[in-house]
Amino acid sequence: MSLELKQHLKMTQQLVMTPQLQQAIKLLQLSRMELVDLIRTEITENPLLEDPGEGEEDSRAEGASPAEQQQAEAEPVHKEAERAEEVKGEEGANEIDWDQYLDHYQLQGHTAPSNRGLADEELPGYEATLTKKGDLVDHLTWQLRLSNFSPDEEKVAMLIIGNLDQDGYFKMPAVEGEEDGGSSRDPLVRVAFESGMGMEFAEKVLRRVQAFDPLGVAARDLRECLLIQVGALNADTPEIVAIIERHLKHLESKNYGAIAKDLKISVEEVVKAVKVISHLEPKPGRAFSGEEPQYITPDVYVYKMGDKYVTVLNDDGLSKLRISGTYRAALKNGRAGEAKEYIQDKLRSAVWLIRSIHQRQRTIYKVTESIVKFQRDFFDKGIAHLKPLILRDVAEDIGMHESTVSRVTTNKYVHTPQGIYELKFFFNSAINKTGGDEIASEAVKNHIRQIVSGEDPKHPHSDQKIVEILKGQGIEIARRTVAKYREVLGILPSSKRKKYF
């Protein structure tokens, strides 16, 4: 066998994604909060980028409504982003005529944000304005410090408190080598072993911790959690205790007949006991969850002005980027010196960022305008009139690719007269109606939600009954489809929706 080198000519098509194109695509799919963070990072890392701040004079017309004011800014023009990079010179390829660029550049005047006349030293430090929401461990530790625990008892109590999950249950983490993850073992066994105090001592401390607020905390399972609560409330009657200890599965499925039969009491007595149990808290740590509410800031607004809908971009909170005047002057006057190449590189990066942000905003604007055109009935009459819509419809309408529309509609929100919705909410598959018409799947979900909300709580509709009701409204779908939509909406089956009191 011999090895030899040969040359071949071959023509191929290849898509090369430049860093600028990658940046533009990345910006398209960022949420508003992610975009704000990225802009802050770029301002920090690129000395040629400046944020004029919030002190600029507002050029909006006096007395104009918010919609009219923002309509004039619906497609904001960034002067920096629209100055073309000209190729000239003997080298040609990447040299930019900065003199011509800067000659056409208009410096935007601005004033510094007001500090209400106070000197910096008179203002409180940033740390002084921060606060932290207390979690469950902090709350229990505070009670522990106020209780009369001996050092040994406090040691065991801290081991228990440190091993509570987010719902307030006492569970030890799995140990390597345990096949069931330690789920079948009493976590108090490990606490007793690690503290060296013995099971009886650890059990006594656990009972004292379980008496802390919130009631039911440090329980090892749901049964123990509920029993602690009924005991503290003096509601631990034989019937209630028996239901909690032996019939939680029947309680979940509301099989009150089976409970009554086993306990040899009437269904009315079972219902009375269940009424007490229903007021207990199955997750004591819920009130101390560290999860903070997520507030949505719309990327775009849709206002109704007369018979027309006006689309307005939300630029509030987004830095109005511009090029630093100091570095512009250095380039224009030839004072950049050896740093010229560095400044040009940063200037090129800054211009592309401003262009990409501008393109992102224009694309969101175009997509929203197209959605308003296709979903006019929704904006006029509500969710029941939402029409089937696919990405291709909007993509063809605005002359863009489907993937671009998909990126733009993810994690972007619009404020409409009907409420705040994610842009992708308006894209729905079609469900056939009687007579050949079609209805959006979201509209069908809304119909199901309304049917369930209007049912008799003591006699809830089965999935098959909902199918029949929808058929009477001209919507023909299978029972399994109703079950799927019901689960998506978080609606329980009819057996679990039934109310006895």
Side-chain angles (χ1 to χ4, degrees):
M1 179 183 292
S2 62
L3 298 176
E4 58 182 31
L5 297 175
K6 293 183 179 180
Q7 289 184 332
H8 297 278
L9 292 176
K10 183 171 65 172
M11 294 183 63
T12 61
Q13 286 185 335
Q14 184 177 4
L15 175 63
V16 178
M17 293 186 66
T18 64
Q20 292 84 1
L21 179 57
Q22 293 176 15
Q23 182 185 59
I25 292 175
K26 177 184 177 182
L27 287 180
L28 272 180
Q29 57 196 14
L30 292 181
S31 67
R32 184 181 179 83
M33 292 181 64
E34 291 170 336
L35 178 62
V36 170
D37 290 340
L38 182 140
I39 291 175
R40 288 174 180 168
T41 302
E42 290 292 334
I43 291 176
T44 302
E45 296 178 352
N46 192 336
L48 270 74
L49 282 172
E50 285 185 348
D51 176 10
E54 300 175 358
E56 294 180 323
E57 293 184 6
D58 195 347
S59 60
R60 295 175 181 174
E62 290 290 337
S65 68
E68 292 170 338
Q69 290 172 348
Q70 294 191 43
Q71 184 181 5
E73 303 171 352
E75 296 187 61
V77 178
H78 297 277
K79 299 294 184 184
E80 303 89 334
E82 295 195 343
R83 301 303 179 197
E85 299 177 1
E86 297 190 359
V87 178
K88 62 185 301 185
E90 294 182 359
E91 299 294 330
N94 295 312
E95 189 64 24
I96 300 172
D97 187 350
W98 295 112
D99 288 338
Q100 182 173 351
Y101 173 84
L102 295 172
D103 284 341
H104 287 84
Y105 182 85
Q106 296 181 357
L107 181 61
Q108 300 177 7
H110 70 284
T111 59
S114 170
N115 60 5
R116 300 185 180 179
L118 295 177
D120 289 342
E121 58 270 15
E122 297 178 39
L123 296 172
Y126 179 68
E127 305 82 20
T129 65
L130 299 177
T131 185
K132 176 186 175 184
K133 180 180 178 181
D135 58 16
L136 181 61
V137 172
D138 293 335
H139 184 60
L140 294 173
T141 303
W142 171 72
Q143 295 176 75
L144 176 62
R145 298 287 183 253
L146 297 178
S147 303
N148 186 23
F149 278 67
S150 67
D152 288 339
E153 289 174 333
E154 186 172 321
K155 178 182 177 182
V156 174
M158 286 306 301
L159 281 173
I160 294 172
I161 293 173
N163 286 285
L164 301 182
D165 64 15
Q166 62 181 0
D167 293 328
Y169 284 91
F170 176 32
K171 295 180 179 179
M172 295 292 281
V175 175
E176 187 176 353
E178 291 182 343
E179 295 182 358
D180 61 353
S183 60
S184 62
R185 295 181 57 185
D186 186 347
L188 198 61
V189 174
R190 282 176 55 184
V191 166
F193 175 77
E194 290 180 15
S195 65
M197 303 307 297
M199 273 296 292
E200 185 178 349
F201 186 87
E203 186 77 36
K204 185 179 74 170
V205 175
L206 177 61
R207 295 302 174 208
R208 293 187 65 183
V209 173
Q210 290 174 342
F212 286 174
D213 176 77
L215 282 178
V217 73
R220 286 159 287 190
D221 54 36
L222 179 59
R223 288 178 176 82
E224 187 174 26
C225 176
L226 298 179
L227 288 173
I228 292 170
Q229 294 179 60
V230 295
L233 296 172
N234 293 321
D236 49 348
T237 63
E239 295 82 8
I240 292 178
V241 171
I243 291 174
I244 293 174
E245 288 183 339
R246 292 153 42 192
H247 294 289
L248 286 182
K249 287 292 183 183
H250 288 146
L251 187 63
E252 181 185 3
S253 62
K254 296 187 177 181
N255 190 353
Y256 298 158
I259 297 175
K261 182 178 180 180
D262 181 72
L263 299 182
K264 297 180 173 56
I265 58 177
S266 65
V267 173
E268 289 74 17
E269 290 178 287
V270 173
V271 170
K272 185 178 178 180
V274 170
K275 192 180 295 186
V276 174
I277 297 173
S278 66
H279 288 89
L280 304 179
E281 175 55 77
K283 297 180 179 181
R286 182 174 3 215
F288 297 88
S289 172
E291 296 180 0
E292 296 290 340
Q294 297 295 320
Y295 298 100
I296 294 173
T297 301
D299 296 84
V300 63
Y301 292 86
V302 174
Y303 297 102
K304 187 170 187 180
M305 301 179 67
D307 293 333
K308 296 182 178 180
Y309 285 98
V310 178
T311 302
V312 179
L313 287 171
N314 179 15
D315 286 332
D316 292 342
L318 294 179
S319 300
K320 296 181 182 349
L321 298 178
R322 71 178 188 185
I323 307 300
S324 169
T326 302
Y327 290 98
R328 288 192 311 105
L331 274 180
K332 187 173 183 180
N333 300 328
R335 297 198 306 268
E338 296 180 357
K340 181 179 179 181
E341 184 178 348
Y342 170 80
I343 296 176
Q344 285 186 338
D345 180 63
K346 290 298 182 182
L347 182 55
R348 186 180 296 108
S349 175
V351 170
W352 269 107
L353 175 65
I354 294 171
R355 282 184 171 180
S356 299
I357 293 174
H358 179 50
Q359 182 62 32
R360 175 188 185 273
Q361 297 297 85
R362 287 178 61 86
T363 306
I364 293 175
Y365 178 84
K366 288 181 179 180
V367 169
T368 305
E369 285 259 284
S370 180
I371 289 174
V372 171
K373 181 172 69 175
F374 282 109
Q375 299 288 8
R376 176 65 186 249
D377 286 346
F378 165 84
F379 290 93
D380 285 338
K381 304 172 186 176
I383 191 173
H385 298 271
L386 197 65
K387 293 182 178 179
L389 185 65
I390 58 176
L391 294 172
R392 185 185 305 157
D393 296 333
V394 171
E396 292 177 352
D397 182 53
I398 63 177
M400 292 184 177
H401 196 272
E402 289 181 45
S403 62
T404 302
V405 177
S406 177
R407 291 188 181 97
V408 167
T409 55
T410 301
N411 294 324
K412 314 295 188 306
Y413 292 86
V414 56
H415 182 281
T416 75
Q418 303 295 337
I420 297 178
Y421 296 91
E422 189 176 6
L423 285 177
K424 65 167 30 178
F425 167 82
F426 298 97
F427 296 89
N428 294 273
S429 57
I431 302 292
N432 292 326
K433 291 184 66 178
T434 304
D437 295 333
E438 293 181 336
I439 184 173
S441 57
E442 283 293 337
V444 175
K445 293 176 187 176
N446 184 61
H447 279 286
I448 294 174
R449 186 187 294 110
Q450 291 180 347
I451 291 172
V452 172
S453 63
E455 69 186 4
D456 181 359
K458 294 186 177 181
H459 300 89
H461 298 310
S462 64
D463 290 346
Q464 184 58 42
K465 180 63 176 178
I466 294 176
V467 168
E468 295 171 2
I469 295 174
L470 289 174
K471 187 174 182 180
Q473 298 175 353
I475 304 171
E476 296 189 14
I477 59 176
R479 186 191 61 79
R480 63 179 178 274
T481 305
V482 169
K484 182 179 74 172
Y485 286 173
R486 176 176 51 71
E487 291 176 1
V488 170
L489 293 170
I491 299 174
L492 296 172
S494 57
S495 61
K496 295 185 179 180
R497 296 200 307 273
K498 187 173 182 180
K499 303 290 185 183
Y500 288 85
F501 48 88

